[in-house]
Amino acid sequence: MGDRRVIVGIGLDLIETARVKRSMENPRFLQKVYTPSEQEYLLDRNRNAQTAAGIFAAKEAVSKALGTGFGNTRWLDVEILRDDRGKPYAVLSGSARERMRAIGGKNILVSITHIRDLAAAQAVIES
C-alpha cells in the first residue's frame, strides 16, 4: 500500500472584498497582515483588493486549520505565496510552524476563489 495521508486540520474563510479594500488604505494594515513578499505581489504587480482579500482569507483558513485562529498565531507567521503556475501555497514560521509540528502536520493544501464582492479560501492540513 502507498503512503497514507490523514487530514489533521481543515479551515475555511469568506471575506468581503470591500472590507479589505478599505483596510488597505492604511499602510499599517498591510504591514501587520501581509509579509514583504505578499506586499510585493500585491503592490508591485498592481494587484487589486480582490487578490488581497483572497490572501487574507487563505491566511485565516490556514489559522483555522491549525486549530488556533489568529489568537495564538501572528498574521505574518502564515505566508501565502504562489508557485510558477499561480497555485497558492502556505509557508509557516514562528508559532504557526510550532502548531503545525504539534498536530503532526506535514503538508498544507490551499485553495482561493473570488466572485464580485467576496473572496474565499480553504486550507487542508495533512499528516
Side-chain angles (χ1 to χ4, degrees):
M1 299 192 88
D3 183 28
R4 286 190 69 143
R5 294 183 183 194
V6 176
I7 294 174
V8 295
I10 186 166
L12 176 69
D13 193 64
L14 177 69
I15 188 161
E16 294 172 307
T17 303
R19 179 177 160 210
V20 173
K21 185 176 183 176
R22 281 191 306 274
S23 296
M24 287 176 71
E25 294 171 5
N26 180 350
R28 289 183 60 201
F29 170 78
L30 291 173
Q31 293 169 352
K32 177 183 175 186
V33 174
Y34 301 95
T35 67
S37 294
E38 292 167 334
Q39 289 180 51
E40 179 182 338
Y41 182 78
L42 291 171
L43 302 175
D44 290 349
R45 297 183 185 194
N46 229 3
R47 303 288 180 183
N48 60 24
Q50 211 174 38
T51 301
I55 293 171
F56 185 97
K59 287 173 169 270
E60 279 279 5
V62 169
S63 74
K64 290 173 182 177
L66 289 169
T68 61
F70 278 107
N72 297 319
T73 301
R74 293 176 347 121
W75 285 99
L76 300 180
D77 288 348
V78 177
E79 184 173 41
I80 306 299
L81 302 173
R82 287 179 174 62
D83 68 14
D84 294 338
R85 300 170 131 197
K87 179 181 175 187
Y89 65 93
V91 176
L92 305 182
S93 60
S95 60
R97 183 174 26 208
E98 290 173 21
R99 178 66 183 160
M100 180 79 158
R101 286 185 190 136
I103 65 173
K106 302 289 183 212
N107 187 42
I108 304 175
L109 303 170
V110 177
S111 180
I112 301 172
T113 191
H114 316 86
I115 61 169
R116 292 180 109 178
D117 302 325
L118 300 170
Q122 182 174 27
V124 175
I125 299 176
E126 301 173 317
S127 68

